[in-house]
Amino acid sequence: MMDDFRVYNQELTAAQIDSVFKTGAVPVPAALLGRYDFDSAGSGLTLSWPFGYLETSTLQPGDPWVAVPGAVSPMPVATSPEKARFYRATLP
């Protein structure tokens, strides 16, 4: 069984690995080359973008566009009518 398989272009420190294990954080976003998270059942949509990084928002007043942590194209996205999210690719 696998859970949250990641590929980085640099060696992570013990503290960074501990942070990944405890919080699921991406300690060095620029070094993340690929991430495969097998927690979901695989339903929903897959987003692909040819450039930049992915941002998300609900488009509700006061909800800004924010970067999606660890997003790597293509990325599966669960869909839910109750929690609609919108996505866009932007340049750094």
Side-chain angles (χ1 to χ4, degrees), residues 12-79:
L12 298 181
T13 66
Q16 290 169 326
I17 293 169
D18 189 52
S19 173
V20 169
F21 178 73
K22 290 179 179 174
T23 69
V26 178
V28 188
L32 183 65
L33 299 178
R35 178 178 181 174
Y36 305 94
D37 189 350
F38 302 105
D39 290 341
S40 64
S43 62
L45 303 172
T46 299
L47 296 179
S48 297
W49 57 100
F51 62 88
Y53 61 94
L54 195 64
E55 292 184 330
T56 186
S57 174
T58 62
L59 297 183
Q60 297 298 313
D63 186 17
W65 287 97
V66 295
V68 178
V72 177
S73 179
M75 181 183 90
V77 178
T79 58

